[in-house]
Amino acid sequence: MTIDDYRREINRLDSDLLRIFNERAALALKIGEIKKVLGIPVYDPDRERRIFEAMTEVNPGPLENDAIVRLFERVIDESRRLERLRTKGI
């Protein structure tokens, strides 16, 4: 394969990631609506810890587990931010 072939594959994966990130965010917003009704806080450190543990347990590499945690921290931070904005009616 050429560099262009690899870049096309990366572009395809980036499009997949974008779709997946937005699907995940939409689900997080639905959870945020339920949390608001039930009076549950947006931030759930135990849930986040379980996500990090689960992802690092199945991580096949080449990304190191610390990198996986950082990536998921960012994704979760953005989901939490959206939940907070939505529950405040912004």
Side-chain angles (χ1 to χ4, degrees):
M1 286 182 56
T2 68
I3 288 174
D4 287 338
D5 293 330
Y6 287 118
R7 286 181 176 158
R8 274 191 291 279
E9 185 65 10
I10 285 173
N11 291 343
R12 183 189 66 76
L13 290 171
D14 287 346
S15 293
D16 290 346
L17 285 170
L18 180 61
R19 178 185 51 77
I20 290 166
F21 288 149
N22 279 297
E23 285 179 17
R24 189 186 192 287
L27 292 170
L29 287 173
K30 290 181 185 297
I31 290 170
E33 292 170 6
I34 295 168
K35 286 178 177 179
K36 182 178 181 179
V37 169
L38 297 176
I40 299 171
V42 169
Y43 179 55
D44 184 350
D46 291 332
R47 166 77 176 137
E48 292 182 18
R49 180 186 46 76
R50 289 190 306 272
I51 291 169
F52 302 148
E53 288 173 359
M55 292 301 97
T56 56
E57 284 176 11
V58 298
N59 176 27
L63 288 173
E64 296 175 353
N65 283 345
D66 288 346
I68 295 300
V69 169
R70 285 191 304 274
L71 288 168
F72 274 88
E73 282 174 336
R74 189 66 189 146
V75 169
I76 291 168
D77 284 346
E78 288 303 316
S79 294
R80 194 179 326 116
R81 184 185 68 79
L82 280 174
E83 281 184 56
R84 284 190 175 123
L85 289 174
R86 182 67 57 93
T87 58
K88 290 180 182 176
I90 296 174

